Amino acid sequence: MAAGSGGGDGGPDGSSVTVRQLLQHTSGIPEVLPEIAALGSADGYRAEQFRTYTPRELVGLAMRRSGAVPTEAAWSYSNTNYILAAMITREVTGRSWDREVKDRIIRPLGLSGTSTPGTSPFIPGPHARSYATFGTGTGTGTGTGTDVTALNTSMAVGSGAVISTTHDLSRFYTALLGGRLLEPSELAEMTATVSAPGMGVRYGLGLGEIPLSCGGTYFGHPGELLGYRTWAGITRDGARTAVVYATSDGGPDTQQAMRTLVDQELCGDAAPVRRSAASADRASGVLRRPR
């Protein structure tokens, strides 16, 4: 699926990459998203917002970028890893990744606000609109940003082509850490982490371990896909969850503010600053969730 060239040209040797390395982002496989025109500029978005990509096409685009990941890098986040995981899911089960997600997660947990849109560019029902400035402004939706709500998310197959709500994400994390989705040994593997200097956290199998300002750590993940940003987390004991989302591309300050809100909510009375009056895990809205 990602044959590579044996690593001889500085790129990854796809024949030796394991599933663990894909989920842990230690595969060395390059990120595909910089190759997607709709994510790079307003003109690119308008030209290709409805374009459909196949997983194999996306992997081919990513492998063109051999050398984009330093060979000495032990950890580097790449959505291409999740695309490959989705392809492996089909090979192993004979069914698509989104069918497996529906049958194993969405339906059993009663996540009524969560769906996988496939190639549809539209979000069903009432939802928040998203805006992007593609690095040229603030993206507030007041004329300084482009409305990017309509988007075929096939470029994020397996990694972010999911529509959900803050409530459903909170329920998902509670079920995950509570042992409803995985056997104890599988959850232990998922939460065994390595250093992820690119994110300033530790990282397991598709799950980050993030330090709390009040001591200890929590599990969760940030995500973004063209105008939608999320930050979700749950304490180790599963007692508290927090999910924050924003509908603009923002920047480093936006992501830090979201991380701080999650930290305050999870620390509760032990937080060094006052908790937000708007509890993140009780908010409502619709979002696209890249892993």
Side-chain angles (χ1 to χ4, degrees):
M1 292 181 181
S5 56
D9 62 353
D13 178 5
S15 64
S16 65
V17 171
T18 66
V19 173
R20 179 184 295 276
Q21 288 174 320
L22 293 177
L23 298 180
Q24 200 175 57
H25 296 290
T26 54
S27 68
I29 293 174
E31 171 65 86
V32 68
L33 295 188
E35 298 293 314
I36 307 302
L39 305 182
S41 69
D43 288 342
Y45 168 77
R46 284 187 286 267
E48 299 201 359
Q49 68 184 105
F50 301 120
R51 176 175 174 177
T52 295
Y53 291 89
T54 68
R56 191 169 296 277
E57 179 184 10
L58 292 167
V59 173
L61 290 172
M63 298 307 287
R64 261 185 356 191
R65 306 183 70 238
S66 292
V69 178
T71 55
E72 69 273 11
W75 189 93
S76 181
Y77 193 92
S78 172
N79 284 284
T80 316
N81 290 322
Y82 291 126
I83 295 168
L84 286 163
M87 295 171 72
I88 292 170
T89 298
R90 179 177 283 280
E91 288 291 321
V92 172
T93 68
R95 306 198 311 168
S96 66
W97 73 274
D98 51 333
R99 177 67 182 274
E100 291 295 318
V101 166
K102 289 173 187 175
D103 289 351
R104 294 173 180 261
I105 300 174
I106 295 175
R107 188 173 297 117
L109 297 184
L111 305 182
S112 59
T114 301
S115 62
T116 53
T119 58
S120 171
F122 305 113
I123 300 174
H127 56 272
R129 305 197 69 81
S130 62
Y131 300 88
T133 62
F134 302 97
T136 63
T138 59
T140 61
T142 58
T144 57
T146 300
D147 186 327
V148 293
T149 307
L151 179 68
N152 179 334
T153 59
S154 59
M155 83 289 288
V157 60
S159 65
V162 176
I163 296 170
S164 192
T165 67
T166 52
H167 177 271
D168 277 5
L169 279 174
S170 178
R171 176 175 286 192
F172 164 73
Y173 276 103
T174 300
L176 178 64
L177 270 293
R180 290 184 59 190
L181 297 175
L182 298 173
E183 295 294 332
S185 60
E186 294 171 331
L187 184 59
E189 291 283 351
M190 188 178 197
T191 54
T193 59
V194 298
S195 177
M199 292 178 71
V201 302
R202 295 185 64 80
Y203 204 88
L205 304 182
L207 192 67
E209 182 183 8
I210 304 160
L212 284 165
S213 62
C214 54
T217 59
Y218 71 93
F219 289 106
H221 213 292
E224 62 178 291
L225 184 60
L226 195 59
Y228 288 100
R229 285 176 171 262
T230 66
W231 196 294
I234 183 170
T235 54
R236 279 181 165 270
D237 61 4
R240 300 177 73 89
T241 61
V243 180
V244 178
Y245 84 96
T247 55
S248 70
D249 47 8
D253 290 344
T254 300
Q255 183 154 309
Q256 183 57 51
M258 295 172 74
R259 181 171 178 172
T260 299
L261 277 172
V262 170
D263 181 89
Q264 291 178 28
E265 181 67 19
L266 297 183
C267 280
D269 295 336
V273 293
R274 185 174 62 86
R275 288 173 59 190
S276 169
S279 179
D281 61 342
R282 292 190 293 272
S284 62
V286 178
L287 49 95
R288 290 196 181 99
R289 173 71 164 86
R291 297 292 302 270

